[in-house]
Amino acid sequence: MVIKQLSIFLENIPGHLRAATSVLAENNINLRALTLADTADFGVLRLIVDQPEIAVELLKNKNFAVKLSEVIAVEIEDTPGGLDKVLKILEEEYVNVEYMYAFMGSKPKKALVIFRVDKLSEAITSLQKNNIKLIESEEEAIDLIYYCWD
Amino acid sequence: MYWNQKFECLPREALKNLQLERLKQTLERAYHNVPHYRNIMQQESIEPKDLESLEDLRKFPFTRKQDLRDNYPYGMFAVSLSEVVRIHSSSGTTGKPTVVGYTRNDLNTWSELMARALMSAGVQKEDVIQNAYGYGLFTGGLGVHYGAEKIGASIIPISGGNTKRQVMIMKDYESTILTCTPSYALFIAEVIKEMGLKPADLKLKAGLFGAEPWSENMRKEIEEKLEILAIDIYGLSEIIGPGVAVECKYKSGLHIMEDHFIVEVINPKTGEVLPTGEKGELVFTSLTKEALPIIRYRTGDISRIINEKCDCGRTSIKIGRIEGRTDDMIIIRGVNVFPSQIEHVLLEIEEVEPNYQIIVDREGQLDNLEVQVEVSEKTFFDEVKRLESLNKKIRNEIESLLGVSVRVKLVEPKTITRSEGKAKRVIDKRKI
């Protein structure tokens, strides 16, 4: 139910983002989804990749501050109110969304949303109870994103 | 203008005789009343009676800041507390503070020296002195204060900060003299301009600036922007406070108050006394202090002796501007900062690794202190808000310890340059 996401600390300086992506490119790690959070001084690059554990080791060896964290990937209806429905369920469980990012899904009329929440197990339980489709694994998420980009 | 023409213009020969006589007394007093001095002299197999000429002073051991810390709080005092009438001290944020004491005679001496310093800058009884040095444990505020009272000038004990009010008071109370750090003087100049005022709207004519290093360029800027005479003043609490040395209106070096202090310039690595004119570490010995006689105190300040006749008529030798430090101490807005203090804070914060670098810069007129801290696996969180709260925590801790505002920047691991395995802790970009 949970997907592993890589987070990389980057200074807000030209060339630093690429320094991280170069490491992954050289080692044939494919980026499937990403988002970059920024502040005045630094950014946090969050990635879904095909081999998260290997990617972490590669980046650590190159002196990056990198963390693996658990996120959930939710398939929602790509129609008005699709996201709202999911957020309402989380709200009712007092689950706080730390951040999220969304993609068009591979299936027609579906979108994929990645959530980082404060209470992971509560979020999963409540979403399942409400028949919301959760992506089972990184592979499934990757496939979904991958195909939509094909 | 002199405050005490007899001593300020004492012929060299008479001055040297006076120094020798006073030095002998100081060594005796230190040896008999301060166990620390007795111990270190005995270790070097030397006694006060071995001093026959002023040149013999170099045979005596140095005193370091650490000696004052080791004898915290009153171990270096040569009198009992019943004779001490004033205590000042450093903030003591790393380890023990250094504590200095004054007897009534010491305060009279200090006031006399500050009266000389103020008059050297042209201060008269009729003047109104706006004293924007900090009042408190720091010797700057009270040092100027007592000197001004001695002369009989009017002193406004405004202390530092609240710059708009400083300008309002400067204008309304018709201040003629400003005393503060040189960077604050420039900041005040900016605020005067921002408030739509011109130097012509004020009565300011001179200022005595010190407690941090500055340069001829800064002097020029202060003199142009405020349309005043800017005089450099030097001192440190371990010696007495401000008033150890001061410029006259010719601005060609700072006259040492030689009837009260002996200055030496040494090679900071070998400790050997350098020939006159060579650049090295300033070392001071007090000649009249009662509560805290100080023998060959290593200041850490780098300068040189200027031994030439001055047009002002004072007979003392002079020192050049302070050109730097022998240690890694930096002075930010008049506050002494050691990198070890920042390291101390970082070590206190759980999980933070003390991989840091201090960047000092001058933006406009004010010094900026930036502390860059490497994030590590332990301190890197996926959530931005946790990183920001870590940043804020480091900033608050450093600010509450140092008393100066600081910018904290989190940087990537292993990005702080390391040479020979040791990081360069301070990058000073100020052009002063």
Side-chain angles (χ1 to χ4, degrees), chain B residues 5 85 121 125 142 256 265 302 335 342 378 381 412 417 428:
Chain B
Q5 187 169 4
V85 295
K125 269 174 72 90
L142 285 170
I256 300 279
V265 173
I302 293 170
V335 177
I342 286 163
K378 285 179 189 159
F381 306 107
E412 290 168 24
T417 325
D428 200 336

Side-chain angles (χ1 to χ4, degrees), chain A residues 44-93:
Chain A
V44 177
L45 175 65
R46 293 157 184 146
L47 301 170
I48 306 287
V49 300
D50 51 3
Q51 302 165 79
E53 278 85 4
I54 295 170
V56 166
E57 283 314 306
L58 289 167
L59 288 162
K60 273 186 187 171
N61 290 340
K62 294 283 179 188
N63 294 325
F64 283 94
V66 50
K67 276 250 152 83
L68 267 186
S69 43
E70 294 181 328
V71 293
I72 47 177
V74 180
E75 192 181 88
I76 64 165
E77 299 297 323
D78 189 6
T79 53
L83 176 63
D84 187 68
K85 184 179 159 192
V86 173
L87 289 177
K88 184 168 178 284
I89 297 163
L90 295 176
E91 182 192 323
E92 279 164 1
E93 285 295 315

